[in-house]
Amino acid sequence: METKITAAIVDDEQGNRENLLRMLGTYCPQIKISAICSSVTEARTVLPEAKPDILFLDIRLGDDTGFSLLESLPDIPFEVIFVTAYDSYAIQAIRFSALDYLLKPIDPEELTHAVDKAVQVVLRKQENKRMQNLLQNKRALDKQKKIALSVADKIEFVEIGSIVRCESESNYTTFYLKSGEKLIVSKTLKEFDDLLTPYNFLRIHQSHLINLEEIKSFIKSDGGYIRMKDGSSISISRQRRNYVMEVLKQL
């Protein structure tokens, strides 16, 4: 699956927003737009929720500026590419540690160069986060350890203890979490069976892997099935029934 990098656009002029959106679609297909904002006020609300990897930020935003937006955000986890018609802002943009600076009208070659540079920075950050997760796992208790799940256009880091169960369909596996959230990963259940079994997970069916700590009850009727704390009911395959029963007796 091709890695998608998410981006947000903040510009107060509709024509400029549409032009940048069109150029990104044409010259930078690896970029997926997660948010488009027309004002600093809107961006303050939308960006923390959208969590883009890259922010294309106009500097003049009505009576406000992109600089004031950045100053007002509690955290800036994204890479900033300033987009402006005024080259007099270049020094100020550099002071804000902008990854790049594009002048309007945007040149396609400059755009692709800026995006390529941003993508490399984002991918390095993702790789560093995966490494931090690995090192953290060495120090954490089993159920506090995290598993990295590649979901659509991002990587989710999920505590193993927060997983209720996993269900497979073809080459995809759905993770059901205590929070009620569902995460779909394009890997087979077999891969996660090998990974999670040491952490008190049990494969009770070709399509089902459960967290033994999340079992509520075992129902003997209808061939036997398990009811989980989240209210779901999971059938036990005939081939695994005896083994599952032995495991449950030891809980």
Side-chain angles (χ1 to χ4, degrees):
M1 181 182 293
E2 182 183 0
T3 300
K4 282 285 186 181
I5 304 295
T6 59
I9 297 172
V10 179
D11 195 308
D12 62 334
E13 296 185 20
Q14 182 176 349
N16 290 336
R17 296 193 299 269
E18 292 176 350
N19 180 59
L20 179 53
L21 188 61
R22 183 168 53 251
M23 292 185 73
L24 287 169
T26 301
Y27 300 105
C28 309
Q30 74 273 41
I31 300 297
K32 177 184 177 183
I33 301 300
S34 61
I36 300 178
C37 303
S38 60
S39 69
V40 169
T41 301
E42 182 184 9
R44 285 191 186 116
T45 302
V46 171
L47 292 180
E49 181 69 24
K51 299 179 181 178
D53 298 309
I54 303 167
L55 175 63
F56 292 93
L57 179 60
D58 189 16
I59 293 182
R60 287 302 315 175
L61 294 166
D63 295 329
D64 219 327
T65 70
F67 302 127
S68 67
L69 168 63
L70 296 179
E71 289 172 335
S72 70
L73 294 174
D75 185 31
I76 305 177
F78 41 75
E79 302 304 316
V80 179
I81 298 177
F82 282 115
V83 184
T84 183
Y86 307 96
D87 58 4
S88 59
Y89 285 116
I91 298 301
Q92 196 172 355
I94 291 170
R95 287 174 181 163
F96 270 83
S97 301
L99 183 71
D100 220 321
Y101 183 88
L102 297 174
L103 278 175
K104 300 174 184 177
I106 299 172
D107 178 81
E109 187 173 345
E110 292 182 357
L111 174 64
T112 55
H113 176 74
V115 168
D116 286 344
K117 184 163 64 173
V119 167
Q120 292 307 310
V121 172
V122 170
L123 291 177
R124 282 200 300 272
K125 285 166 63 176
Q126 291 181 349
E127 185 60 37
N128 288 340
K129 191 170 182 180
R130 280 193 290 268
M131 183 59 66
Q132 289 169 7
N133 182 57
L134 175 64
L135 295 175
Q136 182 183 7
N137 279 351
K138 289 183 177 297
R139 298 187 294 268
L141 296 173
D142 281 357
K143 287 299 176 178
Q144 292 176 323
K145 289 186 177 181
K146 293 182 179 180
I147 183 173
L149 302 177
S150 296
V151 180
D153 56 357
K154 61 183 176 180
I155 297 174
E156 292 275 3
F157 293 88
V158 176
E159 284 192 3
I160 290 176
S162 71
I163 302 168
V164 176
R165 61 189 181 92
C166 307
E167 182 176 350
S168 71
E169 183 175 350
S170 186
N171 291 324
Y172 292 85
T173 298
T174 300
F175 281 72
Y176 293 82
L177 308 184
K178 290 181 182 179
S179 64
E181 185 180 7
K182 293 193 299 185
L183 302 176
I184 301 176
V185 183
S186 59
K187 288 186 177 180
T188 64
L189 189 62
K190 173 67 166 63
E191 296 180 60
F192 296 114
D193 183 11
D194 294 339
L195 190 62
L196 293 173
T197 292
Y199 301 104
N200 216 22
F201 280 71
L202 179 66
R203 186 87 170 263
I204 66 170
H205 188 281
Q206 183 178 356
S207 302
H208 298 286
L209 177 69
I210 64 171
N211 183 347
L212 291 173
E213 293 186 4
E214 291 301 307
I215 292 177
K216 182 179 180 180
S217 58
F218 168 68
I219 312 300
K220 296 180 179 179
S221 60
D222 299 326
Y225 64 92
I226 288 174
R227 185 166 292 147
M228 307 297 289
K229 291 178 182 178
D230 67 351
S232 58
S233 297
I234 316 296
S235 298
I236 301 172
S237 70
R238 210 176 328 173
Q239 297 90 334
R240 300 174 187 266
R241 194 175 193 280
N242 290 338
Y243 174 69
V244 171
M245 291 298 296
E246 286 301 316
V247 172
L248 294 181
K249 287 176 183 178
Q250 297 173 30
L251 291 181

